[in-house]
Amino acid sequence: MLKIGEFIYPWGSGHYSRMMRLNDVLGDQIKEEFEVHFSSKDHVYEKLLKKFPDEKERIHEILMPTPIDGKFGPSVSMSLMNLLLPISKNPPLVRQIANYLREERKLYNREKFDLVINDGDMGSNILAKNRNIPSLFVTNQFRPKLYNSRSYLYPSLIFVAKQIAKASKILVADSPPPFTMCEYNLNFIKEVEEKIVYVGHFTSSRQSKKENKSNVEKLIEESEFGYWMRTGNKSTNDGTGKRYDEVFHEDEMRNEKRIISHAKNDPNIDSVIGKDGKRYSISEALEKKIDWIQIDIGFLSDQEKDTILNLCKYAVVNGSHTVMGEIMGGKSKPIIGMPIYDEHTNNIRWAEEKNLGILATRTQQVTKAISKIKENYEKFQESLVEFSSNFVPNGAENSAKIAGQILEEKR
């Protein structure tokens, strides 16, 4: 039986969602019987245990080093201090790296993988190369252009790029140029050009059965609204929420309807704020036909999310690559991007230059962006139609084909 190792970096949610979509279609392309071993930590490790309750022996907790949480995403200062000092219960980074590579090495030696697929985990690239095991590295960044972080992070950026370059193939989760949304996060060097494959975005390929309309879907019918997404790990999610709240207190937002997705599986979040300033449950708001201004949802079903994206006028995001691809490419909707860190800024700036959305770094810029999108909606739509027609959504399927071909060549 073939063995495949999937190593998932646990910072944010994009790495996990990409690998799960890839895992769904691997069996369509690999002819022999195979088993998959997953490795990650923290919330991703917990999600894997929940998703595969009967395969716990193939789910491995590997303590991959990650940045230290700050108020708005990773804290650069604390993460730098953590290089040599213990911070927030995290041992010094030097020790973390040694321990994590030791555990991955044990796993490699025990399982003897035929192929490894790494989404964000560079250490696995090193181990695979040393053992002549083919490795695929799925990514949307290589040497990202830095803005707020400035030049003192370039040495680590170059180090990371060198480790990514050790993969057998680098699978860019984006459409080929000139429609590559993560272009400013790549900046590939000549040495890796032959390894690069633009496989496309990892959008969901499984169509769920259409259910009866939920109360949320009924409530938003015939309404014009914006969709405000909170995504990422806790610090990124909470930081994004605080910035959204600042915008909602602006006078221009008094009559601007919005739906906020919190990406937290907590039904207590679900509520409706009416234009009367009172808060209602969703069922109560629907029953009383409340003229609403804000709907908060802890966790949307796939059907509810699809309905909201179809009906919304625009979407407000933090610049997540996966999310922007789904909205601009899959739904042809303009975005307003409020970045948390440089990778986000790069994605949003590219979208702004292509007239697909607007970059907003301050509260007042968000309200102006909403007005600009509404006033120039047809022009945004023209650009979005062109982008969508060149959008490659089947990154998971294309990656699975490459995995199948590599394993076939090994026979």
Side-chain angles (χ1 to χ4, degrees):
M1 180 185 292
L2 296 173
K3 287 189 178 182
I4 298 173
E6 294 187 16
F7 294 80
I8 308 171
Y9 191 62
W11 184 262
S13 302
H15 303 286
Y16 171 80
S17 62
R18 276 199 303 237
M19 291 294 268
M20 291 305 98
R21 287 167 183 172
L22 171 58
N23 195 68
D24 284 343
V25 296
L26 271 178
D28 298 337
Q29 300 296 330
I30 299 175
K31 299 175 182 178
E32 295 183 52
E33 188 176 359
F34 68 95
E35 67 178 28
V36 176
H37 288 252
F38 301 98
S39 298
S40 194
K41 75 169 186 178
D42 295 342
H43 71 106
V44 172
Y45 175 70
E46 296 300 325
K47 285 180 179 178
L48 289 166
L49 290 175
K50 187 175 181 179
K51 186 176 179 67
F52 304 104
D54 299 327
E55 301 175 27
K56 292 182 179 180
E57 71 281 358
R58 296 203 293 271
I59 299 173
H60 311 281
E61 186 176 22
I62 302 289
L63 302 181
M64 303 170 184
T66 52
I68 305 297
D69 271 350
K71 290 183 179 180
F72 297 96
S75 168
V76 174
S77 59
M78 287 196 294
S79 296
L80 288 173
M81 289 173 62
N82 190 223
L83 285 170
L84 299 173
L85 299 172
I87 301 289
S88 300
K89 299 181 181 179
N90 288 279
L93 190 60
V94 174
R95 192 191 308 167
Q96 286 187 61
I97 292 173
N99 291 340
Y100 127 81
L101 287 175
R102 187 183 304 116
E103 291 305 310
E104 282 198 345
R105 191 180 300 116
K106 289 180 183 177
L107 182 60
Y108 262 79
N109 292 341
R110 183 172 70 247
E111 301 301 338
K112 303 188 185 313
F113 296 119
D114 296 282
L115 171 70
V116 292
I117 306 172
N118 307 317
D119 196 319
D121 183 12
M122 300 162 298
S124 182
N125 276 356
I126 301 169
L127 296 171
K129 184 176 182 181
N130 291 343
R131 288 159 174 74
N132 292 317
I133 299 171
S135 61
L136 305 178
F137 192 85
V138 183
T139 189
N140 55 279
Q141 57 179 304
F142 184 73
R143 293 175 63 176
K145 182 179 180 181
L146 300 179
Y147 292 91
N148 299 328
S149 306
R150 304 306 179 193
S151 58
Y152 58 86
L153 284 182
Y154 271 106
S156 59
L157 183 150
I158 292 170
F159 172 80
V160 168
K162 285 183 177 179
Q163 310 319 312
I164 294 175
K166 292 177 180 177
S168 306
K169 286 187 180 295
I170 299 171
L171 309 185
V172 181
D174 210 322
S175 304
F179 300 97
T180 309
M181 191 180 72
C182 64
E183 177 184 350
Y184 299 151
N185 285 317
L186 296 177
N187 303 306
F188 286 120
I189 56 178
K190 288 185 178 180
E191 289 83 348
V192 300
E193 285 180 352
E194 292 185 355
K195 296 183 176 183
I196 299 165
V197 183
Y198 290 86
V199 292
H201 293 255
F202 284 56
T203 58
S204 180
S205 58
R206 305 288 186 184
Q207 295 295 322
S208 56
K209 183 181 178 182
K210 199 75 173 176
E211 304 289 345
N212 293 330
K213 288 182 181 178
S214 70
N215 286 343
V216 173
E217 292 175 280
K218 293 175 183 177
L219 190 60
I220 65 176
E221 288 178 332
E222 300 180 4
S223 296
E224 181 179 296
F225 58 88
Y227 178 36
W228 299 64
M229 297 185 68
R230 294 173 56 164
T231 58
N233 64 325
K234 187 178 187 304
S235 65
T236 301
N237 189 312
D238 292 346
T240 300
K242 288 178 182 177
R243 300 175 80 184
Y244 287 176
D245 286 339
E246 291 175 3
V247 177
F248 299 152
H249 282 90
E250 294 293 300
D251 289 341
E252 295 90 337
M253 295 298 294
R254 284 183 179 177
N255 296 307
E256 187 68 26
K257 289 189 173 185
R258 60 259 183 182
I259 297 176
I260 303 107
S261 169
H262 292 247
K264 295 179 180 178
N265 198 7
D266 181 0
N268 293 320
I269 293 173
D270 299 356
S271 61
V272 177
I273 299 177
K275 287 189 176 180
D276 57 7
K278 296 180 181 179
R279 191 176 289 272
Y280 303 87
S281 69
I282 291 173
S283 58
E284 185 182 14
L286 181 64
E287 182 182 346
K288 295 182 177 180
K289 298 181 179 179
I290 296 299
D291 188 8
W292 60 273
I293 190 68
Q294 179 172 316
I295 301 175
D296 290 272
I297 303 292
F299 195 81
L300 291 166
S301 70
D302 288 341
Q303 178 173 304
E304 288 172 336
K305 181 180 177 182
D306 190 61
T307 299
I308 289 171
L309 283 173
N310 284 331
L311 296 178
C312 72
K313 192 78 173 178
Y314 58 87
V316 184
V317 300
N318 63 20
S320 162
H321 179 263
T322 302
V323 167
M324 285 179 63
E326 289 178 342
I327 295 171
M328 299 189 312
K331 297 296 182 179
S332 298
K333 296 298 172 86
I335 61 99
I336 297 170
M338 300 181 69
I340 296 293
Y341 40 92
D342 292 341
E343 177 198 350
H344 294 158
T345 303
N346 290 336
N347 290 334
I348 301 164
R349 192 177 296 279
W350 186 92
E352 184 174 61
E353 291 174 1
K354 308 297 181 184
N355 203 41
L356 306 170
I358 298 175
L359 173 64
T361 56
R362 296 189 300 274
T363 299
Q364 291 77 13
Q365 290 177 330
V366 179
T367 54
K368 289 180 180 178
I370 293 171
S371 297
K372 184 177 180 180
I373 285 176
K374 288 184 174 182
E375 291 167 4
N376 301 277
Y377 207 74
E378 288 186 5
K379 291 183 178 179
F380 279 99
Q381 281 296 300
E382 288 176 8
S383 301
L384 286 159
V385 167
E386 181 187 12
F387 179 73
S388 295
S389 64
N390 291 279
F391 180 77
V392 180
N394 51 340
E397 291 81 359
N398 290 335
S399 299
K401 287 179 184 176
I402 292 171
Q405 289 166 1
I406 288 175
L407 290 171
E408 186 70 22
E409 291 168 2
K410 281 191 67 177
R411 296 179 62 183

